[in-house]
Amino acid sequence: MEIDPFIFRFSIFILSIFIGYYVVWSVTPSLHTPLMSVTNAISSVIIVGAIIAALAGSTEKIFEISNVFGFLAIILAAINIFGGFLVTQRMLQMYKKKKK
Amino acid sequence: MSANLSATFYLLSGILFILALRGLSSPETSRQGNYMGIAGMIIAILVTFLSVGNFGTGFIYVLIFLIIGGSIGAFIAFRIPMTAMPELVAGFHSLVGLAAVFVAVSAFLKPEAFNLGIVGNIKLASLIEMSLGAAIGAITFSGSIIAFLKLRGIMSGAPITFKGQHLLNLILGISILVLIFYLCKIQSNNLFWTIVTISFLLGVLLIIPIGGADMPVVISMLNSYSGWAAAGIGFTLENTALIITGALVGSSGAILSYIMCKGMNRSFFNVILGGWGATEQNSLSKTKEQKPVKNGNADDAAFLMKNASSVIIVPGYGMAVAQAQHALREMVDALKKNGVKVSYAIHPVAGRMPGHMNVLLAEANVPYDEVFELEEINNDFANCDVAYVIGANDVTNPVAKSDPQSPIYGMPVLDVEKSKSVLFVKRSLSPGYAGIDNDLFYRDNTLMLFADAKKMTEEIVKNL
């Protein structure tokens, strides 16, 4: 009997939740705000779906309704990717150790 | 690019995202972690371009839109003041949510582009995944918008409650599930739009009853939702990077919500159901008789601190509102010159989001090894000469330890009252968010400094 590919993806999903659990507990509380902004940025990897949606269909009709939703999603995700990573970077630059 | 090769690269970008979070375990490794996250994102985007393989006019438009969005994001990231970080994060969550909705809509309208079947005959599993993704995305979007408006002060932070609210939310939640069930049977467009609309409505209704100071929980929760929405879409697109990321972000937000709830000794449902302290406690505190307080000025405060050997600073949301972090840093510098040992004590729920105070202190160039969490520093108050409470209130209230009747009883608090003297900067004697009087105001070793946090701190600097 063959295993449905969904089960494989589901396994990845569950194992990732466990990885997330242990990794996030080890994040130092003083970096919880950068944690939120960086998780924000990486969850915008949803842009992958947006790109597929935007480029779907024939090359003549590039602005069909489903493509338009794709393009809109690209803008939103791009704001998040750039905004999220850059603001995280800006915050992390500020964390300094005591000068001895 | 073959499907197997691109899947391998998506796995790689998923691993880089894990390492990005791992880096945050200490400030030294965190910057490197952020670069790994960026690398993971670049890989994911490039692989997608290569596997779609369509480099026609559409590709140019994709780049244009990418650049437009990217410039807006970069502009916001550089311009935003650090005090506005909570509302920025809420705003960003709303965008992830809406992007998830858009991708789901697009997949529903043109399933063949995603190998999900054809219109009217979409694979059952995909249909469930995309409608769940769309519903959670929509809830995340509208909920985050409300959180954004409350944090920004455009909307009042006070809880909005009405009769039958929780019942209504329950009915809406169940109806979403029922509609998804029917959608799987008849695949009608209208049904799909109805699900999205109800989810938008539910997002608004879920967040309006939650008050301003509970925002740390709300933001973390929405963070978690945005992850689950991304994971839902990841299943639809059969994309490993998206599934891994969704799971990471989902559990990250859930853990943060848990930490925040624990910091207030409240259950998650108690926070979500909202309306804390909005009703009975307020009237209680009004009827309380006036008790004497000791009133001081900047001169007294400067004198006390200059002659102390150790000072602990307790910042709270009031410091963020008054933008007092830079003045505070100057004050600490002056104290250090006088040989005073200074450290900072941060309560887990101080401010409006997890880690809010730490970022503001970092912005003011406070070294992170002078900043301590509640468990690390709480025993030190007993040996400290002066505690300087700036903009915090409920998190210092000793009532949480002594009075089982109090609504905040059992909440972990900073043992500020154990220090030899307490300087409490506050504009008035008004109760904090929980609506209860702070016992600390009336203690013999407390000196109240009635002023704006920033002005008072600047005054003290002048007097040092």
Side-chain angles (χ1 to χ4, degrees), chain B residues 349-368:
Chain B
V349 295
R352 285 292 185 264
M353 74 184 296
H356 193 184
M357 292 300 121
N358 303 80
V359 169
L360 292 181
L361 292 176
E363 187 201 8
N365 281 323
V366 172
Y368 61 82

Side-chain angles (χ1 to χ4, degrees), chain A residues 33 40 66 80 89-90 92 96, chain B residues 31 34 77 80 93 106 354:
Chain A
T33 298
N40 217 306
S66 68
N80 254 334
Q89 192 67 21
R90 214 182 117 199
L92 294 178
K96 288 187 195 88
Chain B
R31 285 173 280 262
N34 200 39
I80 193 90
H93 287 158
S106 181

Side-chain angles (χ1 to χ4, degrees), chain B residues 24-322:
Chain B
L24 290 171
S25 57
S26 100
E28 284 109 88
T29 54
S30 62
R31 285 173 280 262
Q32 204 188 341
N34 200 39
Y35 290 127
M36 295 207 192
I38 295 172
M41 187 61 74
I42 293 173
I43 291 175
I45 293 175
L46 288 182
V47 169
T48 311
F49 282 142
L50 290 174
S51 58
V52 173
N54 175 353
F55 293 102
T57 358
F59 177 68
I60 307 292
Y61 280 108
V62 168
L63 286 185
I64 292 173
F65 283 99
L66 198 63
I67 291 168
I68 295 175
S71 331
I72 300 173
F75 180 77
I76 297 172
F78 286 120
R79 294 296 299 274
I80 193 90
M82 283 299 144
T83 37
M85 210 42 76
E87 52 260 46
L88 178 75
V89 168
F92 278 168
H93 287 158
S94 74
L95 299 183
V96 179
L98 195 58
V101 174
F102 285 170
V103 174
V105 167
S106 181
F108 183 75
L109 295 176
K110 201 172 231 176
E112 60 272 21
F114 298 86
N115 291 326
L116 307 176
I118 51 163
V119 177
N121 191 14
I122 302 174
K123 280 191 279 179
L124 178 67
S126 312
L127 205 54
I128 299 174
E129 291 150 6
M130 76 171 78
S131 47
L132 277 178
I136 303 173
I139 293 173
T140 312
F141 170 71
S142 55
S144 303
I145 292 287
I146 300 297
F148 174 83
L149 294 175
K150 284 193 173 195
L151 287 164
R152 190 96 203 131
I154 298 171
M155 201 173 140
S156 153
I160 300 171
T161 47
F162 54 86
K163 226 176 163 219
Q165 191 166 25
H166 304 317
L167 187 67
L168 176 66
N169 291 346
L170 188 67
I171 292 171
L172 289 178
I174 292 172
S175 62
I176 290 173
L177 294 179
V178 172
L179 289 175
I180 290 179
F181 179 75
Y182 278 105
L183 180 75
C184 294
K185 290 199 147 172
I186 56 172
Q187 307 214 356
S188 117
N189 275 11
N190 288 341
L191 219 44
F192 187 77
W193 293 118
T194 315
I195 293 171
V196 173
T197 313
I198 296 181
S199 306
F200 278 134
L201 185 65
L202 183 58
V204 173
L205 289 172
L206 277 176
I207 307 302
I208 53 169
I210 306 177
D214 284 340
M215 279 301 152
V217 182
V218 172
I219 296 195
S220 320
M221 184 182 84
L222 292 167
N223 187 232
S224 177
Y225 285 3
S226 69
W228 304 131
I233 303 296
F235 275 106
T236 319
L237 304 181
E238 308 184 343
N239 184 303
T240 331
L242 206 41
I243 295 176
I244 295 177
T245 316
L248 287 180
V249 177
S251 53
S252 164
I255 291 171
L256 289 177
S257 320
Y258 171 79
I259 296 175
M260 293 300 113
C261 288
K262 217 173 122 234
M264 295 191 284
N265 188 38
R266 296 171 65 196
S267 76
F268 183 67
F269 285 101
N270 183 295
V271 175
I272 294 311
L273 296 178
W276 190 36
T279 46
E280 62 266 69
Q281 279 93 34
N282 269 347
S283 51
L284 243 171
S285 64
K286 270 177 205 132
T287 54
K288 251 186 186 157
E289 79 276 27
Q290 289 288 316
K291 283 182 278 183
V293 293
K294 275 201 263 176
N295 198 339
N297 59 30
D299 202 17
D300 306 331
F303 179 79
L304 264 174
M305 285 197 275
K306 204 159 43 178
N307 292 304
S309 64
S310 66
V311 171
I312 298 179
I313 314 250
V314 182
Y317 182 57
M319 180 189 83
V321 175

